[in-house]
Amino acid sequence: MRYAFAGLFIVMIFALLACMSVARRSYRKIKGAVLMLLGMLIPPMLGNLIIILSTVKIPATIGCYVYFIGMDAFIMALLHFTFEYCMIKWPSNIPRYLVYTLITLDVVQYALNPIFGQAFDTEAIQVDGRNYHRLLPYAGQTYHRLVVYGIFITILLIFLIKMIRSARVYMERYFVILITMVMTGVWQSYYIFSRTPVEKSMAGYGIFGLLIFYFTLYYRPLTLLDRLLANMASDMPDAIYFYDVFGRCIWANDPAIRLAGIKDERYDSATELLQKKFGDPGNYKDPEWSCTKILGHGADAQYYYHFKRTVTDDRGKATGDFLTIRDITAEQRILQQERYNATHDRLTDLFTKEFLFESIRRKLNENPEKDYLIIYIDIQNFKLVNDIFGTSFGDETLKQIAELLRKQVPDSGLFGRIGGDTFGVCIPKEDFHEKELDKELINFTVSHGNKEHQVVLHAGIYEVVEKDLDISFMFDRALLAMVTIEEEYQTHIAYYDEKIRKEVLWAQHISAQLKDALRKRNVVPYLQPIVNTDGKIVGAEALARWIHPQDGFLPPSTFIPVFEKNGMIVEIDRYMWRCACEILADWKKNGRDLFISVNISPKDFYFMDVAEEIKALVKEYDIDPVKFRIEITETVMMTDIDSRMKVLDELRQAGFVVEMDDFGSGFSSLSLLKDMPVDVLKIDMKFLKATADDDKAKTILQNILNLSDDLGMFSLTEGVETKTQLEMLSKMGCKLFQGFYFAKPLPLNEFDSFLASWGA
Ligand code: C2E
Ligand code: MG
Ligand code: MG
């Protein structure tokens, strides 16, 4: 029996060595502590093996040393392992050093035992018919036992506390090791204190080592995983259904039970219930399937995202399916709201420009056989509406126009807000009724609070003949049509036609050539003489002519309005002023005492510092400012009166003469005239023309002349064509005259010869 146990110990030592070599390959963090523990199990077993096999005293005593000191090392390794396994640390250094000291003392006293014999001795007894050296413990041995038991019990306590404090699923982890330790401990204690020869409990050490090896490195707590997964599935907000391979629902979590309305855990009813709720699932047999189902309509619609997947085992065989259903209504609402915000105007709730253009493009592409109209609608003088009635009234105006469009545009059409006060419509030609729209545009009155205002709306229409044209270009064309009605009162609708098309082409044509024409001096100043009451030529007006290499002689009416519109007039005016200065400088040299008036476009004031430029120019040519007259029109004063007045004041202070051109042609306000910083009133030729057959016109003209006199201004009448007119004007008190009666605008050389002949 004695040798049978020796054999068992040898097997166990080899088993532990095998476990260690396997454990070395583990990636677990605890590997180090486990290896040390397994390794430290071997010396006590080895010591015991020696004791069992020895029949002579000396080797048996050596076996005892190996056993006891090995025991010290083992208990330290077990303590280290316990700390790692239970994930705790030394509370402080005091107990730590205390334990180290106690163990060290134990080793020391064993080392002193051969001298003092205070720890143990052995006595020979007969076991299995041969000598066996049994231990005779003394005081030192008692110390050893106290230390080792003390530490061992502490370890048991640590495991116990850890186990009690853990969640149920983790208890197992501590329980198994604790039980093994207790059993091994009890078994060994029995041998120690009963002093039964042959310490069989060492077999328990081997088993303990093997269990530690398995539990720490190889055991996977399946119940723990199962619990975790099940808890996770139950706690998920999504509805989850599990199906077996036959398609039967075998389990569903709480949200799933509620969603399908499963009763009494009858999971197999889920398929039928879901079908009833969401309808036919479609390609449900696919290994992976998803779709969004919508319940209800409009604002009450509920969105559910379904996802199903087949689960397979290691060999790729289907083991069942799971289906999740998620309520995505909230996300969908947010998404829809974002989409709506991005495509709709905040104030009017109409389509934004981008979305309108996009939608029109789609509509045109989808209905290539249909004829469509593109309509551009604009509020006239919207800025004025805002200024006079306030922005809230302005906002209300825009909202009411949106309402009008909603009412008027049929479902076959599209409409939106394309700018601050502009709206766009696309409508099939067959659904458009011009008369109805005209009626709406004429009678459009906005009332808000106690304010009421008739808002003038204009519409430009482009019939979509080039379907591939960019939508923005289509609206550009509609806009071009619309601006043709700007000045008229009776018309509210205009169509883009051949005439407008030609105008646009012409504008593009000459705009592209202007810079070159100025450089080559193809634009030339013509001079039209201005005569005083004595019949003396006192000056001339410089008027632009374009001698075009291909298109021939171009009067200003063919290009000035184009450049007024696109702002390029600034280039021409700068150029003309310079020409006028060149001529004046030349005249100064030749002693000719005449002035030249130049025209200043309202646009000039937007794009340059008029006073600065003109002052610099006369300085450069060393000209007396009195000789350089400046013609402005009433429209200059329509915007930003104060700053315009300042510019004119500045020019007059610098010695320039300022003339009010075409007086009476626009909506001149007589009251404004008295504050106007002008020296000369150039009366529009329409007044003179009208006097031919109208006495009333004569009275008006007379009054204008009187007025200019009263305001201390010089008067000049344009368009004098006959001697009768001249005589009448002279009698009425007009001071200066300009017109074909004297001369048409002439090129410089002809003007020179005209002057010479006039003098004669
Ligand atoms: P405006 O400044 O009022 O120029 C007078 C216009 O009346 C000139 O037309 C002139 O030829 C015309 N006119 C003069 N006497 C008579 C007459 O007895 N009978 C008739 N029927 N017409 C007469 P034009 O040269 O065609 O210029 C037209 C307008 O073009 C000018 O009106 C002026 O506003 C503008 N313009 C001409 N050159 C320039 C320029 O260099 N810069 C700017 N900004 N505008 C210019
Ligand atoms: Mg003029
Ligand atoms: Mg004029």
Side-chain angles (χ1 to χ4, degrees):
M1 204 245 330
R2 184 172 162 183
Y3 297 104
F5 268 93
L8 179 65
F9 289 177
I10 292 171
V11 170
M12 287 220 153
I13 288 173
F14 278 103
L16 285 175
L17 287 170
C19 285
M20 282 173 74
S21 102
V22 173
R24 275 180 50 202
R25 271 172 269 149
S26 169
Y27 293 106
R28 297 260 180 122
K29 206 174 140 247
I30 198 161
K31 176 180 89 173
V34 174
L35 272 174
M36 194 201 284
L37 185 66
L38 295 183
M40 290 305 124
L41 272 169
I42 294 174
M45 289 177 84
L46 194 65
N48 256 295
L49 185 63
I50 298 169
I51 296 169
I52 293 178
L53 292 178
S54 300
T55 50
V56 192
K57 189 177 170 86
I58 301 234
T61 310
I62 292 173
C64 283
Y65 282 118
V66 175
Y67 175 23
F68 298 137
I69 297 176
M71 214 44 211
D72 281 340
F74 164 72
I75 204 75
M76 285 309 288
L78 182 63
L79 190 64
H80 176 62
F81 167 80
T82 303
F83 278 28
E84 290 280 307
Y85 191 77
C86 298
M87 284 173 285
I88 51 173
K89 289 205 167 65
W90 286 99
S92 74
N93 275 333
I94 298 172
R96 185 179 182 167
Y97 293 141
L98 181 69
V99 169
Y100 290 167
T101 313
L102 290 174
I103 290 287
T104 314
L105 280 177
D106 196 37
V107 175
V108 170
Q109 63 108 4
Y110 276 123
L112 297 174
N113 194 48
I115 306 166
F116 300 108
Q118 88 292 350
F120 68 91
D121 196 3
T122 56
E123 61 173 350
I125 56 165
Q126 289 292 305
V127 175
D128 291 352
R130 300 185 69 186
N131 262 357
Y132 175 85
H133 290 268
R134 186 167 67 170
L135 182 82
L136 290 173
Y138 303 141
Q141 192 61 17
T142 309
Y143 171 76
H144 168 76
R145 283 175 189 168
L146 281 176
V147 171
V148 173
Y149 272 100
I151 299 175
F152 186 67
I153 287 167
T154 311
I155 290 170
L156 289 183
L157 278 176
I158 291 174
F159 266 89
L160 190 69
I161 291 168
K162 204 66 192 172
M163 189 180 87
I164 292 166
R165 284 199 185 159
S166 307
R168 226 164 207 291
V169 285
Y170 288 104
M171 276 188 176
E172 187 180 53
R173 198 170 179 266
Y174 300 105
F175 181 71
V176 177
I177 293 177
L178 183 66
I179 284 299
T180 321
M181 282 197 294
V182 169
M183 277 163 54
T184 312
V186 171
W187 194 5
Q188 197 188 16
S189 306
Y190 165 73
Y191 278 98
I192 292 171
F193 294 105
S194 66
R195 302 194 61 229
T196 314
V198 185
E199 233 245 54
K200 303 182 190 76
S201 76
M202 273 295 127
Y205 274 59
I207 294 166
F208 175 65
L210 297 180
L211 278 173
I212 293 281
F213 168 74
Y214 173 73
F215 268 96
T216 49
L217 303 180
Y218 285 92
Y219 170 71
R220 272 180 64 228
L222 270 182
T223 35
L224 169 65
L225 268 180
D226 286 352
R227 283 282 180 81
L228 279 178
L229 291 176
N231 283 348
M232 225 169 78
S234 314
D235 288 353
M236 291 260 261
D238 298 357
I240 305 176
Y241 304 86
F242 289 103
Y243 296 86
D244 63 13
V245 271
F246 310 108
R248 272 187 313 230
C249 180
I250 50 171
W251 187 79
N253 66 358
D254 285 347
I257 291 171
R258 264 179 271 124
L259 182 69
I262 296 170
K263 296 226 164 64
D264 309 327
E265 299 201 350
R266 282 195 47 228
Y267 298 122
D268 51 356
S269 64
T271 310
E272 198 186 325
L273 289 169
L274 287 176
Q275 198 148 345
K276 220 184 261 172
K277 195 172 173 102
F278 293 108
D280 185 31
N283 281 348
Y284 203 65
K285 286 277 164 283
D286 290 351
E288 205 172 291
W289 167 92
S290 67
C291 79
T292 299
K293 300 259 180 195
I294 305 167
L295 299 184
H297 299 282
D300 298 327
Q302 299 276 106
Y303 297 79
Y304 292 93
Y305 177 72
H306 293 230
F307 176 78
K308 190 214 78 169
R309 180 186 272 162
T310 300
V311 182
T312 52
D313 63 11
D314 308 346
R315 289 171 297 157
K317 282 215 167 139
T319 52
D321 297 320
F322 73 87
L323 165 73
T324 62
I325 300 179
R326 176 186 296 176
D327 184 348
I328 53 165
T329 309
E331 287 111 298
Q332 286 294 312
R333 292 271 143 77
I334 292 169
L335 220 72
Q336 283 168 354
Q337 189 60 45
E338 278 172 0
R339 207 176 302 145
Y340 188 87
N341 290 347
T343 54
H344 287 71
D345 172 51
R346 278 266 171 84
L347 180 72
T348 59
D349 246 358
L350 295 182
F351 284 2
T352 57
K353 177 175 150 189
E354 291 73 23
F355 190 57
L356 175 68
F357 286 12
E358 226 179 275
S359 310
I360 293 176
R361 172 77 322 177
R362 221 175 303 126
K363 202 171 203 84
L364 295 186
N365 291 350
E366 281 164 7
N367 306 285
E369 76 296 338
K370 253 193 194 156
D371 290 328
Y372 282 93
L373 300 179
I374 291 286
I375 309 176
Y376 188 106
I377 298 173
D378 179 69
I379 306 173
Q380 296 300 292
N381 295 324
F382 185 61
K383 189 178 171 309
L384 226 64
V385 175
N386 267 329
D387 287 350
I388 296 171
F389 298 98
T391 42
S392 106
F393 189 89
D395 285 352
E396 185 58 28
T397 305
L398 295 170
K399 279 194 214 161
Q400 290 193 15
I401 292 174
E403 223 30 70
L404 171 78
L405 292 176
R406 275 189 201 103
K407 229 172 43 210
Q408 290 298 315
V409 180
D411 290 346
S412 56
L414 292 164
F415 54 94
R417 184 177 177 197
I418 56 180
D421 63 340
T422 52
F423 299 83
V425 180
C426 172
I427 197 172
K429 196 176 171 188
E430 63 206 27
D431 294 338
F432 178 64
H433 309 290
E434 188 184 324
K435 284 222 173 75
E436 269 177 38
L437 176 68
D438 199 45
K439 217 169 74 193
E440 292 292 342
L441 297 186
I442 290 172
N443 296 326
F444 194 71
T445 305
V446 177
S447 45
H448 180 53
N450 50 11
K451 297 174 198 159
E452 197 177 88
H453 178 61
Q454 173 140 21
V455 176
V456 182
L457 296 176
H458 283 175
I461 302 177
Y462 166 69
E463 182 175 348
V464 183
V465 277
E466 289 173 62
K467 298 219 156 145
D468 296 333
L469 196 69
D470 216 76
I471 304 297
S472 65
F473 290 161
M474 295 185 186
F475 274 101
D476 284 348
R477 292 185 175 182
L479 168 65
L480 285 171
M482 195 203 74
V483 291
T484 60
I485 37 175
E486 212 107 59
E487 305 297 322
E488 298 166 40
Y489 285 95
Q490 288 317 304
T491 335
H492 290 82
I493 297 172
Y495 284 84
Y496 179 83
D497 56 14
E498 195 49 27
K499 191 174 146 253
I500 296 175
R501 200 180 76 86
K502 283 207 174 122
E503 276 173 16
V504 172
L505 288 177
W506 172 252
Q508 285 169 351
H509 173 66
I510 55 169
S511 297
Q513 296 177 339
L514 178 66
K515 270 214 167 78
D516 203 40
L518 296 180
R519 201 165 40 82
K520 292 184 177 152
R521 290 195 166 246
N522 286 339
V523 176
V524 290
Y526 271 41
L527 297 177
Q528 186 176 32
I530 292 163
V531 180
N532 70 5
T533 37
D534 303 333
K536 209 177 139 219
I537 293 174
V538 287
E541 177 174 6
L543 295 152
R545 300 290 182 264
W546 189 336
I547 319 294
H548 198 280
Q550 287 95 41
D551 299 310
F553 181 88
L554 301 179
S557 56
T558 61
F559 59 92
I560 294 286
V562 171
F563 296 134
E564 288 262 15
K565 212 180 259 173
N566 67 16
M568 287 170 91
I569 188 71
V570 179
E571 315 276 327
I572 294 204
D573 282 352
R574 254 195 205 118
Y575 169 87
M576 285 291 288
W577 303 343
R578 189 168 281 278
C579 291
C581 284
E582 283 169 6
I583 297 168
L584 284 170
D586 196 45
W587 286 354
K588 186 179 170 188
K589 231 175 26 199
N590 299 327
R592 188 181 282 169
D593 184 27
L594 297 179
F595 66 81
I596 294 183
S597 348
V598 295
N599 290 284
I600 295 188
S601 152
K603 280 273 165 78
D604 293 337
F605 290 90
Y606 288 103
F607 297 112
M608 64 164 110
D609 187 336
V610 174
E612 275 314 307
E613 292 223 10
I614 290 178
K615 282 198 282 189
L617 208 59
V618 296
K619 202 169 164 203
E620 183 185 336
Y621 284 88
D622 190 25
I623 292 159
D624 183 0
V626 173
K627 296 285 175 257
F628 192 95
R629 294 196 173 189
I630 290 155
E631 294 191 10
I632 53 148
T633 54
E634 294 154 327
T635 35
V636 166
M637 291 306 185
M638 296 273 269
T639 45
D640 215 356
I641 297 184
D642 291 343
S643 87
R644 301 283 186 275
M645 291 248 200
K646 246 188 227 149
V647 177
L648 298 183
D649 268 335
E650 199 184 331
L651 284 167
R652 291 180 72 207
Q653 258 155 38
F656 294 94
V657 173
V658 178
E659 309 187 338
M660 171 66 78
D661 199 1
D662 302 337
F663 179 75
S665 66
F667 314 96
S668 31
S669 125
L670 289 173
S671 65
L672 198 70
L673 195 61
K674 76 173 169 33
D675 303 318
M676 259 334 201
V678 297
D679 309 287
V680 178
L681 209 58
K682 279 188 92 164
I683 299 156
D684 195 77
M685 62 182 84
K686 84 171 179 212
F687 289 105
L688 184 56
K689 284 226 164 72
T691 54
D693 44 29
D694 186 358
D695 278 350
K696 238 194 211 154
K698 269 190 201 146
T699 318
I700 293 173
L701 183 58
Q702 177 68 70
N703 276 306
I704 294 175
L705 289 168
N706 291 347
L707 184 73
S708 79
D709 233 16
D710 291 348
L711 293 172
M713 294 176 187
F714 266 88
S715 49
L716 185 159
T717 311
E718 293 182 276
V720 181
E721 292 180 347
T722 62
K723 195 176 172 189
T724 332
Q725 285 175 334
L726 174 65
E727 282 167 1
M728 178 189 74
L729 286 165
S730 299
K731 234 186 270 160
M732 284 178 165
C734 183
K735 303 286 188 317
L736 295 168
F737 314 94
Q738 180 182 347
F740 295 171
Y741 176 67
F742 310 104
K744 290 195 168 178
L746 302 165
L748 194 55
N749 56 342
E750 285 181 37
F751 183 80
D752 284 344
S753 35
F754 172 76
L755 262 188
S757 68
W758 187 263

